[in-house]
Amino acid sequence: MSRSVGEVLRQDAALLWHPYASLSEPGRVRLVRGASGVRLRLDDGQGGTVEAIDAMASWWCAIHGYRHPVLDRAVRDQVAEFSHVMFGGLTHEPAVALGERLVEITPAPLQHVFFCDSGSVSVEVAIKLALQYQVARGRHGRTRMLTVRGGYHGDTFTPMSVCDPVNGMHSLFTGALTEQVFGPQPPAGFDRPADDPEYLAWADALRAVAAEHRDQVAAIVVEPILQGAGGMYPYSPACLRLLRELADEYGFLLILDEIATGFGRTGTLFASEHAGVDPDILCVGKALTGGYLSLAATLCTTDVARTVSDGPGGALMHGPTFMANPLACAVALASVELLLGQDWSAEVSRISAGLTAGLAPAADLSGVKDVRVLGAVGVVQLGGPVDLPRLTEAALRRGVWIRPFRDLVYTMPPYVCTDEEIALIGSAITEAIAEGN
Ligand SMILES: *Cc1c(COP(=O)(O)O)cnc(C)c1O
């Protein structure tokens, strides 16, 4: 690098927005010098570097780790052919092959694929499909989405409108956001039985909300089984089954946002499999390319595809510039094959057991409210807001990169972490929390 670390960081702070950040009081950022396997190599500010296990997998994407030879090769091979072509009037093998593979591995009724550039856009497309579907069915007043509190579906406007109204900062955008229909958050806990009183009360509330808004709702939109950025919050498969029933009863479509949960993260390839529920529309993103490039996909049933295509617009009205980018499709296909070519389920179970053991001691710390693990997701919930700079620093000193938010310290590590690396993530998180108490 031709200039000093200090200068790069100063320019970064002056010029660049970071996620959910202020330019007046920029938070500390660290300079990445490299990344390979499960480790980031960070500049130490003294002419050297320090390594840290990426316990975040680059926001849940890098399931195979960095510089994976198979994924590196997939990108290089595609660059040597062509990097991008428009998708209007043209097609290419990486898109077709990836589309085939996604249709094969997702729930059986999903038969058609729309490729776009980010998770948020895939949710926009899902909602557009649902709105066009209801218009084509002649159900004209159905312009709203039904969702539950606590969700997260992305940062563009329509996804934001179905995010939790409080966590999603709806108050900042009052008047600019579509007012969606919100039911209560499902009661916490993957293992909650279907005859549990809290579940039954929730189900009654949801039935009432659905009935009340039956003529306004086009689709139900939720993250199946695990709400991610809304709170790292698992809920029971029974809740998802009820949403499917309500959708069928009232002619709503069911949109499942598996952008965070897809590709094995919760222990099944897609989280909806825990409930045996098939959506009408499915969104995938994040881990789709193994964290190499930005790509997402919206899948739908033949009923949805035909109804929209034969409806008044005569087409699905969406078409991004970088739709089905060949580099992204090629590396996504390689990443999916890499995942399916191994016993990924055993790897996720192994990580799950390691996180359960590693985070258990955190439950006894003062200031800790809850410790929970589902699949390869480990969460420690504190009694109040996290001290982000302190926790980040304390974990880094122990060789682990984390990015806590709100009251949550969590990890969604790459699946290729060894048992020792998972143990280190568990102890680093636990000790970092203990240090501040
Ligand atoms: C991250 C995420 C999104 C948004 O994806 P982007 O690629 O950041 O636009 C949407 N839904 C869920 C469940 C997510 O976790």
Side-chain angles (χ1 to χ4, degrees):
M1 206 166 67
S2 55
R3 39 188 185 171
S4 75
V5 186
E7 194 197 334
V8 173
L9 292 179
R10 264 193 307 281
Q11 281 296 70
D12 178 280
L15 292 174
L16 303 183
W17 293 103
H18 282 262
Y20 312 101
S22 158
L23 276 176
S24 301
E25 286 187 48
R28 175 166 180 197
V29 298
R30 289 166 172 85
L31 185 61
V32 179
R33 294 289 196 176
S36 69
V38 301
R39 287 179 171 74
L40 302 172
R41 197 155 49 78
L42 306 175
D43 197 291
D44 67 1
Q46 283 148 24
T49 58
V50 15
E51 290 206 335
I53 298 171
D54 183 3
M56 311 309 294
S58 272
W59 269 344
W60 328 346
C61 299
I63 52 176
H64 307 297
Y66 301 97
R67 294 298 320 269
H68 194 290
V70 171
L71 303 186
D72 278 11
R73 193 181 332 115
V75 177
R76 268 200 309 271
D77 288 352
Q78 187 56 42
V79 168
E81 301 288 330
F82 52 94
S83 294
H84 183 67
V85 293
M86 64 191 280
F87 212 54
L90 299 174
T91 193
H92 44 81
E93 252 188 87
V96 174
L98 179 61
E100 284 173 343
R101 203 63 168 124
L102 290 179
V103 163
E104 247 172 61
I105 65 174
T106 53
L110 302 168
Q111 290 292 320
H112 308 277
V113 186
F114 187 101
F115 286 119
C116 55
D117 6 34
S118 76
S120 301
V121 175
S122 77
V123 174
E124 298 275 5
V125 170
I127 291 175
K128 210 178 253 192
L129 270 170
L131 294 174
Q132 283 195 238
Y133 177 89
Q134 299 295 1
V135 168
R137 283 277 158 114
R139 302 166 178 161
H140 286 281
R142 294 194 177 215
T143 55
R144 301 175 79 188
M145 296 294 128
L146 169 58
T147 186
V148 294
R149 288 181 181 262
Y152 176 80
H153 297 283
D155 290 347
T156 60
F157 269 80
T158 310
M160 201 165 51
S161 74
V162 284
C163 289
D164 184 83
V166 179
N167 299 334
M169 298 278 174
H170 284 201
S171 59
L172 282 176
F173 304 102
T174 309
L177 280 186
T178 310
E179 287 198 19
Q180 310 292 12
V181 179
F182 285 89
Q185 187 175 39
F190 178 80
D191 295 321
R192 190 177 289 274
D195 58 358
D196 170 82
E198 274 189 66
Y199 167 74
L200 293 172
W202 175 84
D204 283 345
L206 250 287
R207 280 192 195 97
V209 172
E212 184 188 344
H213 299 280
R214 58 194 301 164
D215 297 326
Q216 299 158 23
V217 169
I220 297 176
V221 189
V222 292
E223 295 154 276
I225 305 302
L226 179 75
Q227 293 184 322
M232 311 307 292
Y233 180 97
Y235 66 87
S236 145
C239 300
L240 202 56
R241 286 193 284 269
L242 178 82
L243 295 176
R244 178 72 268 179
E245 275 170 38
L246 292 174
D248 291 342
E249 184 173 348
Y250 294 117
F252 311 153
L253 294 178
L254 179 64
I255 301 173
L256 294 185
D257 175 350
E258 296 237 21
I259 293 165
T261 52
F263 304 103
R265 184 55 74 176
T266 68
T268 50
L269 197 53
F270 295 94
S272 63
E273 294 168 30
H274 289 293
V277 159
D278 294 336
D280 301 294
I281 301 176
L282 171 74
C283 297
V284 295
K286 288 208 163 89
L288 173 60
T289 63
Y292 269 58
L293 283 158
S294 181
L295 183 74
T298 309
L299 287 90
C300 71
T301 62
T302 297
D303 172 42
V304 170
R306 292 274 169 255
T307 305
V308 167
S309 303
D310 300 342
L316 167 58
M317 301 312 259
H318 213 94
T321 307
F322 285 95
M323 185 165 182
N325 172 261
L327 286 177
C329 288
V331 74
L333 184 61
S335 174
V336 171
E337 297 303 352
L338 196 57
L339 181 69
L340 298 175
Q342 55 177 302
D343 192 352
W344 58 268
S345 157
E347 296 303 319
V348 171
S349 305
R350 175 181 65 78
I351 291 172
S352 202
L355 290 178
T356 303
L359 294 175
D364 299 327
L365 298 174
S366 74
V368 168
K369 190 171 150 194
D370 188 39
V371 177
R372 49 187 182 259
V373 174
L374 178 69
V377 184
V379 186
V380 181
Q381 184 170 14
L382 306 185
V386 299
D387 180 342
L388 178 64
R390 194 190 61 71
L391 280 168
T392 309
E393 181 57 37
L396 259 188
R397 261 189 279 114
R398 293 168 171 87
V400 175
W401 171 249
I402 54 172
R403 184 79 180 159
F405 69 104
R406 291 213 311 270
D407 55 351
L408 300 164
V409 190
Y410 75 100
T411 173
M412 290 174 93
Y415 301 163
V416 293
C417 280
T418 63
D419 290 346
E420 291 70 32
E421 287 158 348
I422 294 297
L424 183 61
I425 291 172
S427 63
I429 288 178
T430 306
E431 290 169 22
I433 294 169
E435 213 176 73
N437 287 326

